[in-house]
Amino acid sequence: AAEITDQRQRLELVADALDALPRRCAEVMRLAVVDGQSSAEIAARLGLAESTVRVQLARGIAQGIIQYLGQVKQARLTGI
């Protein structure tokens, strides 16, 4: 039961981190992470250059990590 709760909390943190990203960046991240699409597939689907997709992925990863770490720190401080 505790393991399931921990997994849910982690998933909520990841979802919050994605929600905090700019719209296009979040869309690219979701297609890559959730749907498992490649940069080429995402570029074709969204009508973007593949280099743009790679830049959005890099930004999303960096911003997502910063957001996630901030939430983890806050959760630890509040005892969640």
Side-chain angles (χ1 to χ4, degrees), residues 29-42:
M29 291 295 294
R30 282 188 179 97
L31 289 171
V33 175
V34 176
D35 294 347
Q37 293 187 14
S38 69
S39 296
E41 291 169 325
I42 296 168

Side-chain angles (χ1 to χ4, degrees), residues 1 4 6-9 21 27 29-30 33 36 39-41 51 54 56 58-61 63 66 69 75 77:
I4 292 172
D6 288 344
Q7 286 178 329
R8 282 189 187 146
Q9 287 176 340
L21 295 173
E27 183 175 19
M29 291 295 294
R30 282 188 179 97
V33 175
S39 296
E41 291 169 325
S51 60
R54 287 193 299 268
Q56 291 297 312
R59 287 181 180 162
I61 290 167
Q63 291 177 10
I66 291 167
L69 292 175
L77 291 174

